[in-house]
């Protein structure tokens, strides 16, 4: 039994949950990759307790080793625990993830999800704002931000706006009546009722009195003669010499963006087309026996890509998922399978979530060999495929 906080046996995972931690770096990498694959599969199947146990095992295995991307396991376990209703523990995991990699937007997203579960909406908005700064085009972050804004407003309560009070005041208005004769003039005083705004009369915040005695709002900004003289002539003028107008190119942004503010360019079409061509047709021999593994074609390609410019710095963002059909040819025998990329994104650091599906894995030696080649990140095929994906990222960064 493994996982003290769950207390549930998962016998089908006993090969990775129990036993000594390998000392050989290659074997250790294989073990961690397999635990991660099983944890992700369990999470997608909503087997949350199972996923929690597997991610916990991955953290235990990597604790005493300097392995990269350890923060991802904290983020994944945070997601599982958040879905299980363990909001406090999910928040602790998300904090641990962010502590290891503050630039990992998904870690901030997981932290915000945990804060939402705890109804700490305003804190969640701050965290999501940081995530948006890292990945402005992340749709999940944008959608959650809008949802939390609404929840925060409801939690605070809509402000009560009191109706404007009206008071009735009597003023004396003196008028001269036409005299019946040139030597006699009489005046009569008529009473009239005038409505005035009590808030203006009381000089409440939001109003001001001008030098000439008029009452107006603070939003009304009339320039004095002195201010006009200081500012000078600000009327629009026609440009006579167009060559005299110099537009400077801002580093990382467009020429029109002289303020160097945020702008974004959609690169989805280019990225999808590039991925479909660059990962198809990759071939590599098996590691220990004869045979060639080949990627055939891409299907179910979903996601988006964009280049964001934030304060003059470019961010190359992409987030895709797709299925790559593969074959293993050994003489006349051909085994088929799929390598599913569950999370091919710019914040993975090259450590993409994949899942190998080979129907004949347990029925034939070819199926078993193909599954091993697709699963192991150190197999010749996975290395060749990784090189192609690295080339995709490198070319993407040339824009």
């Amino acid at each position: 039994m493994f996982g003290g906080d769950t207390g549930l046996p998962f016998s089908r995972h006993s090969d990775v949950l129990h036993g000594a931690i390998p000392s050989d770096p290659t074997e250790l990498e294989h073990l961690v990759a397999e635990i991660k694959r099983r944890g992700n599969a369990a999470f997608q199947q909503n087997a949350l307790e199972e996923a929690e146990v597997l991610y916990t095992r991955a953290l235990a295995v990597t604790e005493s080793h300097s392995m990269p991307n350890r923060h991802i396991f904290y983020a994944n376990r945070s997601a599982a625990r958040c879905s299980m209703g363990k909001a406090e523990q999910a928040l602790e995991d998300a904090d641990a993830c962010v502590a290891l990699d503050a630039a990992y937007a998904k870690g901030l997203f997981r932290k915000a999800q945990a804060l939402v579960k705890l109804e700490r909406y305003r804190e969640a908005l701050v965290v999501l704002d940081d995530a948006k700064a890292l990945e402005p085009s992340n749709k999940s972050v944008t959608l959650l931000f809008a949802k939390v804004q609404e929840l925060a407003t409801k939690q605070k309560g809509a402000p009560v706006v009191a109706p404007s009070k009206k008071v009735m005041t009597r003023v004396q208005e003196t008028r001269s009546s036409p005299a019946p004769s040139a030597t006699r003039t009489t005046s009569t005083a008529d009473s009239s009722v005038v409505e005035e705004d009590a808030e203006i009369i009381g000089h409440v915040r939001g109003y001001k009195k001008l030098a000439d005695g008029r009452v107006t709002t603070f939003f009304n900004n009339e320039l004095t003669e002195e201010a006009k003289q200081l500012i000078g002539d600000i009327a629009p003028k026609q440009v006579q010499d167009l060559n005299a107008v110099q537009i400077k190119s801002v580093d990382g942004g467009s020429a029109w963006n002289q303020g160097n503010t945020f702008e974004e360019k959609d690169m989805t079409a280019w990225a999808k087309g590039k991925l479909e061509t660059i990962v198809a047709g990759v071939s590599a021999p098996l590691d220990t026996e004869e045979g060639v593994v080949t990627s055939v074609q891409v299907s179910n390609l979903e996601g988006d890509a964009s280049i964001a410019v934030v304060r003059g710095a470019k961010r190359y963002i992409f987030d895709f998922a797709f299925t790559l059909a593969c074959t293993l040819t050994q003489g006349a025998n051909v085994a088929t399978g799929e390598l599913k990329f569950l999370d091919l994104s710019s914040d993975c650091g090259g450590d993409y979530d994949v899942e190998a599906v080979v129907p004949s894995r347990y029925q034939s030696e070819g199926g078993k060999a193909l599954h091993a080649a697709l699963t192991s990140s150190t197999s010749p095929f996975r290395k060749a495929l990784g090189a192609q994906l690295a080339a995709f990222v490198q070319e993407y960064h040339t824009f």
Side-chain angles (χ1 to χ4, degrees):
M1 184 180 297
F2 177 82
D5 55 345
T6 59
L8 295 175
F10 298 104
S11 57
R12 65 195 184 101
H13 298 304
S14 59
D15 57 328
V16 296
L17 293 180
H18 305 287
I21 299 175
S23 57
D24 180 71
T26 302
E27 292 182 6
L28 179 62
E29 184 181 352
H30 288 172
L31 175 61
V32 172
E34 180 63 17
I35 296 173
K36 180 181 179 182
R37 184 192 68 80
R38 297 189 192 186
N40 292 346
F43 182 78
Q44 290 174 356
Q45 296 167 7
N46 206 34
L48 301 177
E49 294 88 351
E50 188 174 335
E52 181 189 24
V53 167
L54 288 164
Y55 292 140
T56 301
R57 174 61 170 170
L59 287 167
V61 167
T62 58
E63 184 175 9
S64 58
H65 299 77
S66 57
M67 299 192 68
N69 301 323
R70 190 166 182 264
H71 59 283
I72 294 177
F73 293 119
Y74 277 114
N76 290 354
R77 191 172 69 174
S78 175
R81 286 178 166 176
C82 194
S83 298
M84 295 167 66
K86 299 180 178 181
E88 291 287 357
Q89 290 176 281
L91 181 58
E92 291 176 3
D93 281 344
D95 281 332
C97 171
V98 174
L100 290 174
D101 188 352
Y104 186 51
K106 191 170 290 185
L108 294 170
F109 179 73
R110 298 304 184 199
K111 181 175 181 178
Q113 286 182 313
L115 289 169
V116 170
K117 284 284 187 181
L118 295 169
E119 298 185 358
R120 292 159 60 177
Y121 303 130
R122 301 200 175 280
E123 293 177 63
L125 286 174
V126 174
V127 174
L128 287 170
D129 200 45
D130 292 338
K132 286 173 65 179
L134 291 171
E135 293 189 5
S137 62
N138 190 311
K139 294 180 180 178
S140 298
V141 173
T142 303
L143 290 174
L144 184 60
F145 188 86
K147 176 183 176 182
V148 177
Q149 276 188 316
E150 183 179 350
L151 292 172
T153 302
K154 291 180 179 179
Q155 185 183 59
K156 181 180 179 181
V160 179
V161 180
S164 178
K165 296 180 180 179
K166 301 293 183 179
V167 297
M168 308 298 287
T169 61
R170 291 189 177 274
V171 297
Q172 299 295 323
E173 183 179 0
T174 303
R175 294 181 299 183
S176 297
S177 301
S181 64
T183 59
R184 183 180 178 185
T185 302
T186 60
S187 298
T188 59
D190 294 337
S191 296
S192 61
V193 178
V194 180
E195 279 192 348
E196 294 180 356
D197 195 321
E199 292 180 346
I200 296 180
I201 294 175
H203 302 289
V204 297
R205 292 166 61 185
Y207 294 91
K208 63 182 178 181
K209 181 178 288 187
L210 302 179
D212 58 4
R214 289 182 296 132
V215 176
T216 184
T217 68
F218 278 110
F219 298 103
N220 185 8
N221 186 20
E222 295 184 11
L223 296 178
T224 63
E225 291 300 325
E226 182 182 1
K228 291 179 181 179
Q229 292 178 3
L230 289 173
I231 295 174
D233 186 7
I234 59 174
K237 297 178 180 61
Q238 183 178 359
V239 177
Q240 301 296 336
D241 184 7
L242 296 179
N243 294 325
V245 180
Q246 299 294 326
I247 300 179
K248 298 179 180 179
S249 178
V250 180
D251 290 340
S254 303
W256 56 264
N257 190 3
Q258 296 295 297
N260 208 15
T261 55
F262 170 79
E263 63 175 288
E264 186 176 24
K265 180 180 180 181
D266 186 11
M267 297 293 293
T268 303
W270 176 88
K272 283 187 173 181
K274 193 66 179 179
L275 279 174
E276 288 176 341
T277 57
I278 204 168
V279 299
V282 177
S283 295
L286 287 177
D287 199 6
T288 58
E289 55 185 296
E290 292 185 359
V292 176
V293 181
T294 305
S295 59
V296 182
Q297 65 178 6
V298 174
S299 62
N300 302 323
L301 177 56
E302 298 179 352
D304 48 52
S306 64
I307 299 176
V309 180
V310 184
R311 293 185 292 274
K314 279 188 177 181
R315 299 184 186 275
Y316 296 86
I317 305 165
F318 61 89
D319 190 356
F320 291 103
F322 61 89
T323 300
L324 183 62
C326 302
T327 61
L328 168 61
T329 304
Q330 293 177 305
N333 299 321
V334 178
T336 60
E338 294 178 340
L339 186 62
K340 295 185 176 182
F341 281 81
L342 308 175
D343 184 14
L344 182 81
S345 59
S346 50
D347 59 5
C348 288
D351 184 19
Y352 307 123
D353 286 341
V354 297
E355 178 183 358
V357 179
V358 181
S360 60
R361 175 186 178 186
Y362 299 106
Q363 284 75 37
S364 67
E365 290 298 322
K368 181 180 179 180
L370 177 59
H371 185 271
L374 298 181
T375 302
S376 174
S377 60
T378 59
S379 70
F381 174 74
R382 285 288 300 276
K383 287 182 178 179
L385 190 60
Q388 290 295 93
L389 291 173
F392 160 76
V393 174
Q394 185 176 5
E395 185 174 349
Y396 186 30
H397 280 68
T398 61
F399 286 94

